[in-house]
C-alpha cells in the first residue's frame, strides 16, 4: 500500500524528500504533540483526507469542532454518502450518539457476555466516580443493580436505574424481576438493596440524577437502543465524525469513551474474521487531553489493534498534564505508540517528557 503522506523535508544531503507513514506503521499508532496554533489539527486534516481518498473508514473525535467543520468541506464527493455525523446536544442535527450504558450488545458466548458486562460496569463506575463524593457503599449498590439490569432479558437504561432506586416499592419490584428471571447470583443483593433505607440510597440517587435530569446527558445515556450502530459503521468502512463540543467535560469524556469502546468492541471481534477481510480502520482523536480517561482501556486498544487492523492517532497539548490526571493513559500511550511527532510545546516539563520518550527510541 502507498504510504499516508504527512509532509516533506529538505536536507542538504537528500534534497527534497517526502515524509510518509508506511502501512506497516499504521497499526503501531501515532501521536502528535504541540501547543495551540502549531498545526496539529491541520496535519490531522491532511491525514484524514488521504485516508478518505484511499477509501478506508475512520472515526474522528473533535472536542473543539473547528477541525471537523473544515474536514467536512474537503472530503471527496465520492465519500459523502459514507459520512456518519454525530453531534450530541446539537439543535441543528437530530443525530445524537445514543449510548445505552446498560446494553451489552450482541454477544455469542457466555464468556463474551460476561466480559461485556464487566466492561460496562467499569465504564459506569468511572462515570459515576467523577465529581462528587462517591463511596464504596454507593458503588456497591449501583454496580449490583447495574449488573442485574445488564444481565436481564429486558432492556434497561440509566434512567430506569434512577426510577428503580427512587423508592422502596420499585426496588422491591425490581428484586422480584431479578428473581423471576432466575438471576440467582444477584437476587440476594437486590433484595438487600430493596430493604435499605432512603438515607443509604439518597447519595446514589443524587449522583444518577445529575445524568438523568440534564436534557443533554439524558439524551445521550437514556436510549434503549443506541440510535447509531457504531459497530456496523466500522465494518462498513464509514467515516464517523464526532463533533463533541458539549460544555460539560464529564459528558464529553463519556461520549468519547462510549464511542471508542464500541469501536474497539467491533475491532476485537475481528479475531474471528479472515485476516484478508480485515479492512484498515483509523481512530483519530484531536485534543486528546480533553477526552482522555483512564477508562478508555487505551492499552488494550493500542496493543491489540494491530491484529484487528485499527490505527489510533491522538493529538496532545500537554502530556505533563495528562500525567497528572490520567497517569496510566500517558504510560500506555508512550508504551504503545511507535510514531511520534512534536511541534513546539509551551511547558518545559512537556518538552522534557517528549524528549525523554524520543530518547528511549
Ligand atoms: N504547515 C503549515 N504551514 C502554514 N500554516 C499552517 C501550517 N499548519 C497549520 N498552519 C496554520 O496555523 C494555524 C493553526 O493550525 P492548527 O492546525 O489549527 O493548530 P493546532 O491544532 O495545533 O492548534 C492555522 O491557521 C493553520 O492554517
Ligand atoms: Mg487543533
Amino acid at each position: 500500500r502507498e504510504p499516508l503522506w504527512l509532509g516533506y523535508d529538505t536536507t542538504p544531503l537528500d534534497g527534497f524528500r517526502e515524509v510518509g507513514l508506511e502501512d506497516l506503521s499504521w497499526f503501531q499508532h501515532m501521536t502528535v504533540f504541540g501547543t495551540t496554533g502549531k498545526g496539529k489539527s491541520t496535519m490531522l486534516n491532511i491525514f484524514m483526507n488521504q485516508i478518505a481518498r484511499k477509501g478506508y473508514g475512520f472515526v474522528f473525535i473533535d472536542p473543539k469542532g473547528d477541525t471537523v467543520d473544515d474536514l467536512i468541506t474537503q472530503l471527496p464527493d465520492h465519500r459523502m454518502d459514507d459520512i456518519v455525523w454525530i453531534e450530541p446536544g446539537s439543535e441543528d442535527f437530530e443525530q445524537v450518539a445514543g449510548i445505552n450504558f446498560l446494553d451489552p450488545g450482541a454477544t455469542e458466548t457466555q464468556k463474551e457476555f460476561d466480559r461485556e458486562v464487566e466492561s460496562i460496569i467499569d465504564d459506569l463506575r468511572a462515570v459515576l466516580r467523577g465529581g462528587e463524593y462517591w463511596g464504596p457503599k454507593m458503588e456497591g449498590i449501583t454496580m449490583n443493580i447495574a449488573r442485574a439490569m445488564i444481565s436481564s432479558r429486558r432492556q434497561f437504561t440509566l434512567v430506569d436505574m434512577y426510577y428503580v432506586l427512587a423508592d422502596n416499592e420499585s426496588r422491591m419490584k425490581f428484586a422480584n424481576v431479578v428473581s423471576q428471571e432466575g438471576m440467582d447470583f444477584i437476587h440476594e443483593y437486590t433484595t438487600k438493596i430493596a430493604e435499605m433505607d432512603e438515607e443509604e440510597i439518597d447519595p446514589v440517587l443524587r449522583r444518577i440524577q445529575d445524568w438523568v435530569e440534564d436534557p443533554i446527558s439524558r439524551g445521550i445515556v437514556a436510549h434503549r437502543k443506541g440510535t447509531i450502530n457504531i459497530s456496523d459503521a466500522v465494518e462498513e468502512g464509514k467515516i464517523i465524525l464526532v463533533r463533541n463540543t458539549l460544555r460539560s467535560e464529564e459528558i464529553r469524556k463519556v461520549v468519547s469513551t462510549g464511542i471508542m469502546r464500541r469501536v474497539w468492541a467491533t475491532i476485537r471481534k475481528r479475531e474471528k474474521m479472515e485476516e484478508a477481510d480485515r479492512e484498515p480502520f483509523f481512530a483519530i482523536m484531536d485534543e486528546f487531553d480533553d477526552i482522555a480517561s483512564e477508562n478508555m482501556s487505551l492499552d488494550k486498544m493500542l496493543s491489540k489493534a494491530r491484529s484487528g487492523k485499527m490505527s489510533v492517532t491522538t493529538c496532545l497539548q500537554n502530556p505533563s498534564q495528562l500525567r497528572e490526571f490520567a497517569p496510566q493513559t500517558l504510560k500506555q500511550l508512550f508504551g504503545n505508540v511507535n510514531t511520534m511527532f512534536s511541534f513546539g510545546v509551551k511547558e518545559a516539563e512537556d518538552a522534557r517528557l517528549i524528549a525523554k520518550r524520543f530518547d528511549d527510541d
Side-chain angles (χ1 to χ4, degrees), residues 19-62:
V19 179
L21 198 62
E22 301 280 348
D23 66 346
L24 275 176
S25 303
W26 296 353
F27 310 108
Q28 297 176 32
H29 321 301
M30 180 161 87
T31 295
V32 185
F33 301 104
T35 192
T36 304
K38 290 292 181 189
K40 300 181 300 297
S41 300
T42 304
M43 183 171 153
L44 286 191
N45 185 314
I46 293 167
F47 189 62
M48 291 187 285
N49 261 296
Q50 290 178 70
I51 297 170
R53 275 155 230 265
K54 283 180 190 289
Y56 300 132
F58 64 92
V59 55
F60 175 47
I61 302 182
D62 184 3

Side-chain angles (χ1 to χ4, degrees), residues 33 35 249 253 287-292 294 316-331 334 345-351 353-354:
F33 301 104
T35 192
E249 184 183 326
K253 283 186 193 220
E287 306 284 338
F288 186 64
D289 322 50
D290 186 81
I291 50 178
E294 298 280 71
L316 269 178
Q317 286 198 33
N318 290 108
S320 61
Q321 249 179 40
L322 186 64
R323 186 173 54 183
E324 303 277 306
F325 74 85
Q328 290 308 319
T329 302
L330 185 72
K331 231 191 221 160
F334 273 21
V345 290
K346 211 160 57 186
E347 309 285 332
E349 195 46 38
D350 289 327
L353 253 177
I354 297 165

Side-chain angles (χ1 to χ4, degrees), residues 282-338:
F282 297 78
I284 297 119
M285 292 175 263
D286 204 355
E287 306 284 338
F288 186 64
D289 322 50
D290 186 81
I291 50 178
S293 110
E294 298 280 71
N295 187 42
M296 221 177 240
S297 312
L298 198 70
D299 57 338
K300 274 185 231 148
M301 208 179 325
L302 295 177
S303 61
K304 301 239 178 86
R306 198 179 313 183
S307 63
K309 291 260 164 46
M310 178 166 81
S311 160
V312 181
T313 295
T314 41
C315 262
L316 269 178
Q317 286 198 33
N318 290 108
S320 61
Q321 249 179 40
L322 186 64
R323 186 173 54 183
E324 303 277 306
F325 74 85
Q328 290 308 319
T329 302
L330 185 72
K331 231 191 221 160
Q332 293 155 5
L333 206 67
F334 273 21
N336 289 299
V337 173
N338 255 1

Side-chain angles (χ1 to χ4, degrees), residues 74-345:
Q74 296 161 4
L75 288 173
D77 284 345
H78 76 273
R79 295 302 309 267
M80 284 299 156
D81 288 342
D82 290 333
I83 294 171
V84 177
W85 183 267
I86 300 178
E87 186 171 2
S90 159
E91 287 168 8
D92 303 331
F93 296 91
E94 287 190 5
Q95 288 285 63
V96 290
I99 295 169
N100 182 3
F101 269 106
L102 305 181
D103 176 11
T107 54
E108 277 161 27
T109 61
Q110 184 64 36
K111 202 172 138 210
E112 235 177 73
F113 180 81
D114 293 342
R115 195 164 61 181
E116 201 58 25
V117 171
E118 286 319 303
S119 109
I120 295 174
I121 295 281
D122 282 348
D123 268 13
L124 203 58
R125 186 183 283 132
V127 167
L128 294 168
R129 257 183 201 164
E132 294 161 49
Y133 172 74
W134 183 251
K137 187 153 195 181
M138 293 162 76
E139 184 159 308
I141 296 172
T142 326
M143 295 309 129
N144 282 306
I145 295 275
R147 203 169 266 119
M149 285 188 159
I150 301 164
S151 308
S152 167
R153 282 189 293 274
R154 305 181 192 197
Q155 284 257 331
F156 288 100
T157 73
L158 213 55
V159 178
D160 299 314
M161 184 180 310
Y162 178 78
Y163 289 113
V164 160
L165 286 172
D167 56 66
N168 263 119
E169 198 186 328
S170 42
R171 292 202 295 273
M172 211 38 115
K173 241 193 232 162
F174 183 70
N176 284 335
V177 168
V178 168
S179 152
Q180 276 161 21
E181 284 198 28
M183 291 188 268
D184 299 331
F185 65 100
I186 203 106
H187 183 232
E188 198 182 318
Y189 289 111
T190 49
T191 311
K192 207 160 104 193
I193 292 169
E195 285 160 358
M196 286 180 182
D197 47 34
E198 306 304 319
E199 255 168 61
E200 287 174 280
I201 302 285
D202 261 0
V204 180
L205 262 187
R206 270 202 307 264
R207 189 71 186 93
I208 300 176
Q209 200 170 15
D210 293 347
W211 279 89
V212 171
E213 281 189 348
D214 176 76
I216 291 174
S217 51
R218 184 180 173 125
I220 293 166
V221 299
H223 292 270
R224 234 163 269 280
K225 278 272 170 221
T227 52
I228 293 165
N229 189 326
I230 294 184
S231 206
D232 288 349
V234 169
E235 286 307 5
E236 287 163 14
K238 300 273 194 217
I239 296 175
I240 308 168
L241 302 177
V242 188
R243 196 175 195 280
N244 188 12
T245 57
L246 291 162
R247 227 173 321 143
S248 152
E249 184 183 326
E250 183 181 20
I251 307 179
R252 278 201 308 274
K253 283 186 193 220
V254 167
V255 168
S256 305
T257 306
I259 290 172
M260 282 311 294
R261 213 176 63 80
R262 273 155 186 77
V263 169
W264 173 232
T266 312
I267 297 294
R268 215 175 45 196
K269 287 199 189 110
R270 288 183 163 185
E271 281 168 23
K272 292 181 199 139
M273 200 188 261
E274 289 292 325
E275 187 130 14
D277 294 339
R278 299 174 200 168
E279 275 294 302
F281 188 83
F282 297 78
I284 297 119
M285 292 175 263
D286 204 355
E287 306 284 338
F288 186 64
D289 322 50
D290 186 81
I291 50 178
S293 110
E294 298 280 71
N295 187 42
M296 221 177 240
S297 312
L298 198 70
D299 57 338
K300 274 185 231 148
M301 208 179 325
L302 295 177
S303 61
K304 301 239 178 86
R306 198 179 313 183
S307 63
K309 291 260 164 46
M310 178 166 81
S311 160
V312 181
T313 295
T314 41
C315 262
L316 269 178
Q317 286 198 33
N318 290 108
S320 61
Q321 249 179 40
L322 186 64
R323 186 173 54 183
E324 303 277 306
F325 74 85
Q328 290 308 319
T329 302
L330 185 72
K331 231 191 221 160
Q332 293 155 5
L333 206 67
F334 273 21
N336 289 299
V337 173
N338 255 1
T339 305
M340 294 206 169
F341 287 87
S342 188
F343 294 97
V345 290

